[in-house]
Structures are given as C-alpha cells and as structure tokens.
Amino acid sequence: MNTGTVSAVMTADPITVSTHTPFKDIAQLLTGNGISAVGVLDKTGALVGVVSEADLLPHLWEDRKPRWRDRRLARKATACVAKDLMTSPAVTIDADATLAAAAAQFAHSGVRRLFVLRDGKVAGVLSRRDLVAVFTRGDADLEREVSEDVLRDRLDLGPDRVRVEVRAGIVTVVGRVERRSDIDPVTRLIGELSGVVEVRNRLDYVWNDVA
C-alpha cells in the first residue's frame, strides 16, 4: 500500500445509513460511536448524501418553521428520516488519491470530512485530523521507507550512491546520480510519502541530459 495515498490513512468501512433511517437512530449512531457524521446510501449502495451533527441541530430550534431565506435548513427542522436530513451531494475523494489532493480538497470545500470511494462505492472516511496525524510518524520509520522502498526498490539507488537523513520529518538526500533527469523523480517520490515535511535534494549528477 502506498503510504502517500488516502487509502493508507482513512478509516475503513465507515458507518452508513439508508435514506429511510429515522432521525433518532441517526442521533444514537453518532453519539454511540463518537462520530460526527454518517454517509447515506441509496438502494444500490451508492452514496447520495451525508447526515452530520449540524444537520440534526435544527430540531432544537424553538420555532420549527422560521421564516428564513434558507428553506433547506427550515426543512431539516421538521425532517424525520435521513433523505430529508442529509446534505447532498456528499463531498468525496478517490481511495487512490494523494494526500496532497486530499488537503487541497479540504481547503476548497471547507468540509470536516471526505467520504472515500473505491470503484464508486464507499470504502472509508477521511478527516482533517487523519491528514495532520501523518506528520507524527517517526523519523526512523520514514528514513527506512525512503532508503529501501523509494531509492533502492523504485529507483535502483543504493546507499553507495545516495545517503538519506531524516530529522523532524525533513528528508535530506545527498549523493550522485548518473543523469540530471534522475534528480527530480527522487524529490517527487519522496514528497509523496506520508509524514514528509520537506525534501532537501542535494544530489549531483555525472552528465547533463536536460536541454
């Protein structure tokens, strides 16, 4: 599994409900499982929306039918089942998307969670906290993955050619490669790993094959 993809850090098999799940059952699922939202699936298993804590709060209004411009919220104040409570469409991301893509999606949408799809079906849920947590990864573990999985296995660069040091998530690579065009892939592949704060590429090259 690529540790730089959404599937590596998401919570798999999230709790979901049907479009006809009652209000009270949803409230119990949220509080009982310590979660803030559930996905809503139609009869085919496709994700059609999300019910979050915020969608349930209008039921606490003193005036259940306020004369507001936002009729959508007013309807939620009297809704009794998931299809009338949910926010639709759900904001989603593919399981194979990079963590960088997920971060951009969070910034663009402003949501607190992304439901993760694989082949069009719900595979997991990703929170903003899940992304932040990748930076708590230990330096030794990250250094091993850079040295073995990226440099040795994917790029055929052993320790006799390239040395790696990781401190506080900052990866420094020093050494010499055959071609100048070999340098950029090192930075790109390391940068895709979860837990990498910065890549400092100090590689030199033997000959310049870049026009």
Side-chain angles (χ1 to χ4, degrees):
M1 179 183 293
N2 188 338
T3 57
T5 63
V6 167
S7 61
V9 299
M10 71 181 185
T11 298
D13 301 320
I15 296 173
T16 59
V17 299
S18 76
T19 54
H20 298 292
T21 300
F23 178 100
K24 188 172 182 179
D25 290 354
I26 296 172
Q28 289 174 336
L29 283 172
L30 297 183
T31 57
N33 292 279
I35 56 177
S36 60
V38 290
V40 182
L41 308 184
D42 65 13
K43 293 180 179 179
T44 69
L47 181 70
V48 293
V50 176
V51 178
S52 70
E53 295 166 327
D55 295 316
L56 303 185
L57 292 182
H59 269 254
L60 293 174
W61 293 341
E62 292 184 4
D63 182 359
R64 289 291 188 90
K65 295 182 179 180
R67 296 180 179 179
W68 292 357
R69 292 182 180 180
D70 195 336
R71 294 181 179 178
R72 178 181 60 86
L73 282 177
R75 286 197 300 270
K76 291 186 180 186
T78 57
C80 295
V81 295
K83 67 182 179 66
D84 299 321
L85 289 162
M86 69 183 187
T87 298
S88 182
V91 182
T92 64
I93 194 166
D94 191 79
D96 294 326
T98 64
L99 299 186
Q105 181 80 309
F106 275 119
H108 176 73
S109 66
V111 298
R112 295 184 177 184
R113 73 202 63 81
L114 298 171
F115 276 83
V116 183
L117 303 182
R118 180 179 286 113
D119 299 325
K121 301 296 184 181
V122 176
V125 64
L126 181 76
S127 69
R128 292 180 293 188
R129 182 174 297 178
D130 292 328
L131 289 189
V132 174
V134 303
F135 295 108
T136 64
R137 186 179 183 188
D139 288 344
D141 181 46
L142 185 54
E143 183 173 322
R144 181 209 57 76
E145 184 172 15
V146 171
S147 300
E148 298 178 8
D149 297 353
V150 175
L151 296 180
R152 186 192 65 190
D153 296 343
R154 301 184 66 179
L155 298 174
D156 195 27
L157 295 172
D160 57 321
R161 301 176 63 187
V162 177
R163 300 187 307 278
V164 179
E165 180 181 83
V166 181
R167 290 186 178 179
I170 299 174
V171 182
T172 302
V173 287
V174 180
R176 175 172 291 191
V177 294
E178 290 295 324
R179 299 175 297 274
R180 183 178 178 182
S181 61
D182 294 331
I183 294 179
D184 286 346
V186 173
T187 301
R188 176 176 56 81
L189 291 174
I190 294 175
E192 291 176 354
L193 300 178
S194 65
V196 173
V197 175
E198 181 184 354
V199 181
R200 296 177 179 175
N201 193 324
R202 304 287 189 263
L203 293 177
D204 195 3
Y205 55 88
V206 177
W207 59 282
N208 188 355
D209 62 336
V210 178

PDB file of all heavy atoms in Angstrom, residues 129-143:
ATOM      1  N   ARG A 129      -8.094  15.610  10.700  1.00  0.00           N
ATOM      2  CA  ARG A 129      -7.171  15.114  11.724  1.00  0.00           C
ATOM      3  C   ARG A 129      -6.333  13.952  11.201  1.00  0.00           C
ATOM      4  O   ARG A 129      -5.175  13.791  11.562  1.00  0.00           O
ATOM      5  CB  ARG A 129      -7.932  14.697  12.977  1.00  0.00           C
ATOM      6  CG  ARG A 129      -7.036  14.222  14.114  1.00  0.00           C
ATOM      7  CD  ARG A 129      -7.828  13.969  15.365  1.00  0.00           C
ATOM      8  NE  ARG A 129      -8.456  15.179  15.856  1.00  0.00           N
ATOM      9  CZ  ARG A 129      -9.251  15.229  16.922  1.00  0.00           C
ATOM     10  NH1 ARG A 129      -9.512  14.110  17.595  1.00  0.00           N
ATOM     11  NH2 ARG A 129      -9.779  16.362  17.315  1.00  0.00           N
ATOM     12  N   ASP A 130      -6.938  13.107  10.334  1.00  0.00           N
ATOM     13  CA  ASP A 130      -6.196  11.989   9.748  1.00  0.00           C
ATOM     14  C   ASP A 130      -4.988  12.495   8.960  1.00  0.00           C
ATOM     15  O   ASP A 130      -3.920  11.875   8.968  1.00  0.00           O
ATOM     16  CB  ASP A 130      -7.096  11.169   8.817  1.00  0.00           C
ATOM     17  CG  ASP A 130      -8.192  10.430   9.561  1.00  0.00           C
ATOM     18  OD1 ASP A 130      -7.956  10.036  10.721  1.00  0.00           O
ATOM     19  OD2 ASP A 130      -9.275  10.256   8.986  1.00  0.00           O
ATOM     20  N   LEU A 131      -5.169  13.606   8.256  1.00  0.00           N
ATOM     21  CA  LEU A 131      -4.051  14.160   7.483  1.00  0.00           C
ATOM     22  C   LEU A 131      -2.978  14.740   8.391  1.00  0.00           C
ATOM     23  O   LEU A 131      -1.782  14.543   8.166  1.00  0.00           O
ATOM     24  CB  LEU A 131      -4.552  15.248   6.525  1.00  0.00           C
ATOM     25  CG  LEU A 131      -5.372  14.793   5.319  1.00  0.00           C
ATOM     26  CD1 LEU A 131      -5.593  15.972   4.374  1.00  0.00           C
ATOM     27  CD2 LEU A 131      -4.695  13.657   4.578  1.00  0.00           C
ATOM     28  N   VAL A 132      -3.413  15.456   9.427  1.00  0.00           N
ATOM     29  CA  VAL A 132      -2.439  16.038  10.361  1.00  0.00           C
ATOM     30  C   VAL A 132      -1.646  14.941  11.054  1.00  0.00           C
ATOM     31  O   VAL A 132      -0.435  15.077  11.298  1.00  0.00           O
ATOM     32  CB  VAL A 132      -3.157  16.924  11.399  1.00  0.00           C
ATOM     33  CG1 VAL A 132      -2.172  17.406  12.464  1.00  0.00           C
ATOM     34  CG2 VAL A 132      -3.810  18.120  10.710  1.00  0.00           C
ATOM     35  N   ALA A 133      -2.302  13.810  11.327  1.00  0.00           N
ATOM     36  CA  ALA A 133      -1.653  12.725  12.073  1.00  0.00           C
ATOM     37  C   ALA A 133      -0.484  12.111  11.328  1.00  0.00           C
ATOM     38  O   ALA A 133       0.410  11.513  11.952  1.00  0.00           O
ATOM     39  CB  ALA A 133      -2.675  11.642  12.411  1.00  0.00           C
ATOM     40  N   VAL A 134      -0.441  12.243   9.998  1.00  0.00           N
ATOM     41  CA  VAL A 134       0.663  11.616   9.252  1.00  0.00           C
ATOM     42  C   VAL A 134       2.003  12.242   9.627  1.00  0.00           C
ATOM     43  O   VAL A 134       3.059  11.605   9.475  1.00  0.00           O
ATOM     44  CB  VAL A 134       0.448  11.708   7.721  1.00  0.00           C
ATOM     45  CG1 VAL A 134      -0.867  11.090   7.314  1.00  0.00           C
ATOM     46  CG2 VAL A 134       0.559  13.141   7.214  1.00  0.00           C
ATOM     47  N   PHE A 135       1.975  13.475  10.135  1.00  0.00           N
ATOM     48  CA  PHE A 135       3.223  14.144  10.483  1.00  0.00           C
ATOM     49  C   PHE A 135       3.771  13.724  11.841  1.00  0.00           C
ATOM     50  O   PHE A 135       4.824  14.205  12.263  1.00  0.00           O
ATOM     51  CB  PHE A 135       3.036  15.664  10.421  1.00  0.00           C
ATOM     52  CG  PHE A 135       2.750  16.162   9.037  1.00  0.00           C
ATOM     53  CD1 PHE A 135       1.494  16.621   8.694  1.00  0.00           C
ATOM     54  CD2 PHE A 135       3.739  16.134   8.066  1.00  0.00           C
ATOM     55  CE1 PHE A 135       1.218  17.062   7.418  1.00  0.00           C
ATOM     56  CE2 PHE A 135       3.475  16.572   6.784  1.00  0.00           C
ATOM     57  CZ  PHE A 135       2.210  17.034   6.451  1.00  0.00           C
ATOM     58  N   THR A 136       3.068  12.840  12.525  1.00  0.00           N
ATOM     59  CA  THR A 136       3.582  12.309  13.785  1.00  0.00           C
ATOM     60  C   THR A 136       4.412  11.047  13.560  1.00  0.00           C
ATOM     61  O   THR A 136       4.915  10.456  14.508  1.00  0.00           O
ATOM     62  CB  THR A 136       2.425  11.984  14.753  1.00  0.00           C
ATOM     63  OG1 THR A 136       1.606  10.939  14.191  1.00  0.00           O
ATOM     64  CG2 THR A 136       1.561  13.212  14.996  1.00  0.00           C
ATOM     65  N   ARG A 137       4.551  10.660  12.327  1.00  0.00           N
ATOM     66  CA  ARG A 137       5.309   9.451  12.005  1.00  0.00           C
ATOM     67  C   ARG A 137       6.771   9.594  12.419  1.00  0.00           C
ATOM     68  O   ARG A 137       7.371  10.665  12.270  1.00  0.00           O
ATOM     69  CB  ARG A 137       5.217   9.204  10.502  1.00  0.00           C
ATOM     70  CG  ARG A 137       5.837   7.909  10.036  1.00  0.00           C
ATOM     71  CD  ARG A 137       5.672   7.769   8.533  1.00  0.00           C
ATOM     72  NE  ARG A 137       6.204   6.506   8.057  1.00  0.00           N
ATOM     73  CZ  ARG A 137       6.323   6.195   6.776  1.00  0.00           C
ATOM     74  NH1 ARG A 137       5.935   7.056   5.848  1.00  0.00           N
ATOM     75  NH2 ARG A 137       6.825   5.030   6.421  1.00  0.00           N
ATOM     76  N   GLY A 138       7.369   8.526  12.936  1.00  0.00           N
ATOM     77  CA  GLY A 138       8.744   8.575  13.401  1.00  0.00           C
ATOM     78  C   GLY A 138       9.756   8.732  12.282  1.00  0.00           C
ATOM     79  O   GLY A 138       9.572   8.207  11.177  1.00  0.00           O
ATOM     80  N   ASP A 139      10.833   9.448  12.567  1.00  0.00           N
ATOM     81  CA  ASP A 139      11.875   9.685  11.562  1.00  0.00           C
ATOM     82  C   ASP A 139      12.552   8.397  11.103  1.00  0.00           C
ATOM     83  O   ASP A 139      12.872   8.237   9.922  1.00  0.00           O
ATOM     84  CB  ASP A 139      12.938  10.637  12.118  1.00  0.00           C
ATOM     85  CG  ASP A 139      12.438  12.069  12.239  1.00  0.00           C
ATOM     86  OD1 ASP A 139      11.394  12.386  11.626  1.00  0.00           O
ATOM     87  OD2 ASP A 139      13.087  12.863  12.939  1.00  0.00           O
ATOM     88  N   ALA A 140      12.761   7.468  12.030  1.00  0.00           N
ATOM     89  CA  ALA A 140      13.446   6.216  11.677  1.00  0.00           C
ATOM     90  C   ALA A 140      12.615   5.408  10.685  1.00  0.00           C
ATOM     91  O   ALA A 140      13.149   4.840   9.714  1.00  0.00           O
ATOM     92  CB  ALA A 140      13.721   5.392  12.932  1.00  0.00           C
ATOM     93  N   ASP A 141      11.311   5.369  10.915  1.00  0.00           N
ATOM     94  CA  ASP A 141      10.426   4.634  10.009  1.00  0.00           C
ATOM     95  C   ASP A 141      10.394   5.288   8.641  1.00  0.00           C
ATOM     96  O   ASP A 141      10.435   4.615   7.599  1.00  0.00           O
ATOM     97  CB  ASP A 141       9.016   4.591  10.605  1.00  0.00           C
ATOM     98  CG  ASP A 141       8.041   3.809   9.733  1.00  0.00           C
ATOM     99  OD1 ASP A 141       8.395   2.702   9.280  1.00  0.00           O
ATOM    100  OD2 ASP A 141       6.936   4.311   9.491  1.00  0.00           O
ATOM    101  N   LEU A 142      10.360   6.603   8.622  1.00  0.00           N
ATOM    102  CA  LEU A 142      10.343   7.330   7.358  1.00  0.00           C
ATOM    103  C   LEU A 142      11.660   7.156   6.610  1.00  0.00           C
ATOM    104  O   LEU A 142      11.687   6.964   5.389  1.00  0.00           O
ATOM    105  CB  LEU A 142      10.072   8.815   7.623  1.00  0.00           C
ATOM    106  CG  LEU A 142       9.905   9.721   6.398  1.00  0.00           C
ATOM    107  CD1 LEU A 142       8.826   9.191   5.463  1.00  0.00           C
ATOM    108  CD2 LEU A 142       9.560  11.131   6.860  1.00  0.00           C
ATOM    109  N   GLU A 143      12.764   7.189   7.335  1.00  0.00           N
ATOM    110  CA  GLU A 143      14.072   7.010   6.705  1.00  0.00           C
ATOM    111  C   GLU A 143      14.195   5.624   6.073  1.00  0.00           C
ATOM    112  O   GLU A 143      14.753   5.474   4.990  1.00  0.00           O
ATOM    113  CB  GLU A 143      15.184   7.220   7.728  1.00  0.00           C
ATOM    114  CG  GLU A 143      16.585   7.132   7.134  1.00  0.00           C
ATOM    115  CD  GLU A 143      17.658   7.514   8.119  1.00  0.00           C
ATOM    116  OE1 GLU A 143      17.430   8.465   8.906  1.00  0.00           O
ATOM    117  OE2 GLU A 143      18.729   6.866   8.124  1.00  0.00           O
TER     118      GLU A 143
END
